[in-house]
Amino acid sequence: MVAYESDELFPFPRDVVWKLLLDHTDDSLITRIHPLIQQQRTVSRSDGAATVDRRIEARGRLLPSQWRYRYRAPDQLRWEIVSGSGPYAPGSWMENLYSDAPGGTRIRSRGELRITVLPFFLPQRPVLARVLESIDAEDQRYLRG
């Protein structure tokens, strides 16, 4: 696993960020937010938690994985990979803390991740950074709609 930390400004107010985060657990919307997620099915949902099965395209293959979301709106969200073939290894997780900031929402993130489909000779850390930047850009495109 690779340790990851960031502290960034997301250029939308926190209420908009939380709608986006909840849209990630909506089976009909997630494929519009992140096109590499080809399918999603909600396994369970309760107050402050959701578990979803996903099929994500990675390196020309459709890989199954199960994700668990735990959230305490509007301050905290944690996701973790419960099981699956990739593209993230089971046990990978990310925790985000949200606060209001001039110009948007401050997001402080920390986690431990590993990409399973990455060839052994490519370093995890810079690839993870690029993947997470791409995911952030997809979130922003969706919100600008």
Side-chain angles (χ1 to χ4, degrees):
M1 295 288 179
V2 173
Y4 175 83
E5 287 191 36
S6 72
D7 188 342
E8 299 184 10
L9 179 69
F10 192 78
F12 291 89
R14 194 160 28 155
D15 63 327
V16 173
V17 170
W18 271 95
K19 180 177 179 341
L20 168 71
L21 295 172
L22 293 176
D23 285 354
H24 280 69
T25 65
D26 184 315
D27 298 346
S28 66
L29 293 177
I30 190 63
T31 57
R32 285 191 254 165
I33 302 168
H34 300 298
L36 291 179
I37 299 174
Q38 298 288 306
Q39 298 172 341
Q40 177 172 291
R41 181 182 64 85
T42 299
V43 174
S44 66
R45 185 182 307 272
S46 62
D47 191 34
T51 301
V52 298
D53 283 339
R54 289 183 170 165
R55 296 211 177 275
I56 301 173
E57 184 182 326
R59 299 191 63 191
R61 300 183 333 211
L62 206 53
L63 303 173
S65 57
Q66 187 171 84
W67 296 54
R68 180 177 303 131
Y69 287 90
R70 292 187 181 126
Y71 43 90
R72 196 178 67 236
D75 303 314
Q76 181 180 21
L77 173 108
R78 178 187 169 99
W79 59 260
E80 62 186 287
I81 307 302
V82 177
S83 63
S85 303
Y88 302 104
S92 294
W93 61 275
M94 180 78 70
E95 183 174 272
N96 298 320
L97 300 175
Y98 305 90
S99 58
D100 296 325
T105 302
R106 179 181 182 195
I107 304 176
R108 289 178 292 150
S109 303
R110 67 182 186 89
E112 292 185 7
L113 304 124
R114 184 171 63 83
I115 298 175
T116 61
V117 297
L118 197 61
F120 73 92
F121 55 85
L122 290 177
Q124 288 274 326
R125 188 174 311 280
V127 173
L128 275 167
R130 283 194 306 271
V131 167
L132 294 171
E133 286 173 16
S134 175
I135 289 169
D136 183 66
E138 289 173 352
D139 285 340
Q140 291 188 44
R141 269 193 301 277
Y142 173 74
L143 289 175
R144 289 189 173 103

